[in-house]
Amino acid sequence: MLKEWARSCVFAAEGGAEVGYHSTMIPRRLTAVLLACALALQPLRAADDLPELGDVASNELPPLMEKRIGRQIMNEIRLTEPSYLDDADIEGYLTALGGKLVAASVAPDLGFVFFALSDPSINAFALPGGYIGVHSGLILAAQTESELAGVLAHEISHVTQRHIARQIYQSSKMSLPSMLAMGLALLAARSNSQVASGAIAATTAGSIAAQLAYSRDFEREADRIGFELMRKAGFDVRGMAVFFGSLQQATRHYENNATAYLRTHPITGERLTDMQNREGGVHYRQVPDSPEFHLARAKLRAMQGTPAEATGHFERLLAERKFASEEATRYGLAYALFRARDWAAAEREVQKARGGKAADPMIERLYAEIRLARGDADGALAIYRGALARSPRHAGLHDGYAQALLTSRRFTEALRFADEQLQWQPESTRHLRVRAASHAGLGHEAQQHQALADVFALQGLTLAAIEQLELAQKAGDADFFVMSAIDARLRELKRQRLDEMRERRD
């Protein structure tokens, strides 16, 4: 019976059930199915029975298994979640900010992945294996970069201290599909507490309810470790207490409408006092926000509502001089005008944001996109090349430049650029898609399918990857060396597919 429930959970996670989407985190119906599956499984141990904090969970859920579970959940989000924000600028900013904190942690080589969801609610969450999701509402609610860093540091600490691994783990004999179902259920519960509550009430396994939010010990430890990460990374350590205190103050009279973050990370007076006591031992120094913090917030705000509403918002801020960064506010107005397809007005504002000189990579990217929209492909590519010379590792510039090359039908250049980036980012699906599009533009059918197979394999869609390689074999336009690579990769994926099917049966 347990195996049947686990198979049903995986079937739902892979899209086997027809689902309808909810506006918060993952599909409502999928959420309920996954929670019901997880709740039917053997209940988790009570929080008070958990072993000592630290790294002892490694004896229960191996880190490689935890990473694999997180990767599968992340693939599910990327493929089926409409609020997933596939924006290289925002993702790149979160990765840079999170990277500073991770570098100060006990697991700098864990391979954290930071991503955003276009969701107005104030929330962030950690998945197994170091996948950190941040709602756009949280980024917009943070008044300083140190406040945002405080939330990320807290979530990073839940991962490094293996709190999530302990929530997922139930017994040493639990199968990967069962643990995956539990991980998805915990994610769903943190994102949509109403659906979670309904699923819990409808089952007899109510003991899991205590695990859907982090235990007090876990929260205190994440606060303590997160505080140290902020201090070592050079952020204002007061940011954590300020942000959490503001959340608590804003919602204390509206318990039923508490933010998603507070429902899953309950903030007590004791926790806030502990944070403030730690601050007392650190010499105060003002830490300025980075320009990217204000630009990322401006872009997210410019994405909201209709183009006219977004334009009006930034015009009012400029008219009333109500902004922390004029550069970012003008960038937001330029982006809103770009959405409205008012290219001339957008270029005027982006030039003001640039101040007559080369500016931040996000501003330069928007400037290049405006030139491209106005038919000046050469000018756009020149802007990109100059910006890349100054910021060679900026994700937004990589994405924009590659797309500009494809739009300009410069497929050979696009392929060369994608191959260069894949040398140091071999698992970048963005660059693999550029490689596939470039081969398609050049008429290389076999290599187009080969690149698409790599994309699908990274997304966990092994069967789709196999189908692409079989199409590559039939294309008949590849030389001996390319065909040898295709054949070898096909054999590898077929073995992997057999292993996956065996795991689901066990």
Side-chain angles (χ1 to χ4, degrees):
M1 181 65 177
L2 176 61
K3 291 180 181 178
E4 291 303 316
W5 271 101
R7 289 180 192 140
S8 298
C9 290
V10 175
F11 177 71
E14 292 183 339
E18 183 180 347
V19 295
Y21 292 109
H22 187 268
S23 62
T24 53
M25 177 58 205
I26 66 175
R28 179 192 295 270
R29 187 170 169 188
L30 177 59
T31 300
V33 169
L34 291 169
L35 278 167
C37 292
L39 291 167
L41 298 172
Q42 184 177 328
L44 289 172
R45 290 171 292 179
D48 291 340
D49 295 332
L50 287 167
E52 291 180 9
L53 305 184
D55 192 41
V56 293
S58 60
N59 294 324
E60 300 173 343
L61 181 60
L64 287 177
M65 182 71 77
E66 183 183 355
K67 190 73 175 182
R68 188 174 175 187
I69 292 169
R71 184 181 298 113
Q72 292 193 44
I73 298 173
M74 188 71 242
N75 285 336
E76 179 69 22
I77 292 172
R78 287 184 175 127
L79 290 169
T80 66
E81 173 49 46
S83 69
Y84 172 67
L85 187 57
D86 188 11
D87 185 284
D89 285 330
I90 304 302
E91 186 177 295
Y93 167 67
L94 290 175
T95 298
L97 178 62
K100 294 178 183 178
L101 296 162
V102 170
S105 76
V106 296
D109 300 322
L110 183 62
F112 277 82
V113 174
F114 298 86
F115 63 98
L117 296 167
S118 182
D119 190 310
S121 63
I122 301 173
N123 201 11
F125 54 90
L127 300 178
Y131 296 86
I132 309 291
V134 183
H135 287 203
S136 58
L138 173 63
I139 301 172
L140 291 170
Q143 296 302 301
T144 68
E145 191 167 38
S146 289
E147 290 184 17
L148 178 57
V151 177
L152 291 186
H154 184 96
E155 295 304 320
I156 290 167
S157 300
H158 278 310
V159 175
T160 60
Q161 299 310 108
R162 311 218 61 213
H163 297 162
I164 307 160
R166 298 185 212 181
Q167 288 184 294
I168 295 175
Y169 182 81
Q170 297 184 70
S171 77
S172 60
K173 296 181 180 180
M174 179 179 280
S175 66
L176 173 62
S178 299
M179 287 189 284
L180 173 60
M182 179 62 73
L184 282 164
L186 288 167
L187 169 62
R190 292 193 179 110
S191 307
N192 190 341
S193 63
Q194 293 180 340
V195 173
S197 299
I200 293 168
T203 69
T204 58
S207 60
I208 198 175
Q211 294 298 323
L212 295 178
Y214 291 113
S215 72
R216 289 183 179 180
D217 286 342
F218 284 176
E219 287 295 83
R220 283 196 295 267
E221 185 171 51
D223 289 342
R224 177 174 57 81
I225 301 296
F227 181 90
E228 284 302 305
L229 294 187
M230 292 185 69
R231 184 184 64 79
K232 291 177 181 177
F235 291 100
D236 180 1
V237 294
R238 289 157 180 77
M240 181 182 288
V242 168
F243 186 76
F244 289 161
S246 297
L247 279 186
Q248 186 190 53
Q249 182 71 21
T251 59
R252 66 178 182 174
H253 298 302
Y254 306 96
E255 184 174 350
N256 293 332
N257 295 321
T259 68
Y261 198 81
L262 287 184
R263 288 195 296 267
T264 57
H265 299 71
I267 298 175
T268 63
E270 179 187 7
R271 278 186 63 198
L272 284 175
T273 300
D274 286 344
M275 292 180 201
Q276 291 160 355
N277 287 340
R278 289 190 192 97
E279 294 170 4
V282 178
H283 178 70
Y284 173 74
R285 67 185 183 90
Q286 188 173 10
V287 179
D289 300 326
S290 71
E292 291 77 17
F293 170 70
H294 294 293
L295 290 168
R297 294 177 79 245
K299 184 171 187 178
L300 288 172
R301 180 61 185 84
M303 289 177 172
Q304 294 180 346
T306 66
E309 290 170 341
T311 298
H313 169 77
F314 286 104
E315 286 177 338
R316 285 191 295 274
L317 291 181
L318 288 168
E320 299 171 6
R321 307 292 296 175
K322 292 182 178 179
F323 46 73
S325 165
E326 181 174 357
E327 174 190 62
T329 307
R330 291 201 178 277
Y331 165 80
L333 176 56
Y335 192 89
L337 290 166
F338 180 78
R339 285 184 61 202
R341 303 177 68 83
D342 188 344
W343 316 128
E347 184 163 354
R348 284 196 299 272
E349 290 302 327
V350 84
Q351 288 285 25
K352 293 176 184 177
R354 295 179 82 234
K357 62 183 185 303
D360 185 275
M362 286 181 65
I363 297 176
E364 294 298 273
R365 181 185 182 183
L366 179 56
Y367 182 31
E369 290 302 302
I370 293 170
R371 294 309 310 163
L372 192 64
R374 302 192 78 177
D376 181 12
D378 290 340
L381 292 171
I383 294 168
Y384 272 125
R385 292 186 186 109
L388 282 167
R390 295 185 295 273
S391 305
R393 290 289 180 260
H394 192 272
L397 291 177
H398 292 166
D399 185 51
Y401 181 55
Q403 295 304 318
L405 288 171
L406 291 174
T407 300
S408 304
R409 302 186 63 80
R410 304 188 188 200
F411 301 119
T412 301
E413 291 181 59
L415 180 58
R416 187 185 307 116
F417 181 74
D419 286 342
E420 289 171 356
Q421 302 312 310
L422 285 165
Q423 289 181 7
W424 66 279
Q425 295 182 88
E427 295 191 354
S428 169
T429 56
R430 283 195 180 97
H431 294 311
L432 284 169
R433 290 192 195 102
V434 173
R435 175 188 278 177
S438 300
H439 280 304
L442 293 168
H444 304 161
E445 185 179 352
Q447 289 170 286
Q448 174 196 359
H449 291 301
Q450 182 186 26
L452 286 174
D454 289 337
V455 173
F456 289 137
L458 285 172
Q459 292 174 332
L461 302 173
T462 309
L463 186 57
I466 289 171
E467 291 172 350
Q468 287 297 319
L469 289 175
E470 289 173 341
L471 289 172
Q473 285 181 324
K474 297 173 184 176
D477 64 344
D479 61 26
F480 172 79
F481 298 103
V482 171
M483 282 305 303
S484 296
I486 290 171
D487 293 342
R489 182 62 168 149
L490 182 58
R491 289 192 296 271
E492 178 187 358
L493 287 177
K494 284 184 174 179
R495 287 193 297 269
Q496 181 177 319
R497 177 66 177 169
L498 289 174
D499 290 341
E500 291 170 353
M501 294 174 67
R502 192 177 300 114
E503 280 179 348
R504 293 173 189 179
R505 288 195 301 268
D506 295 340

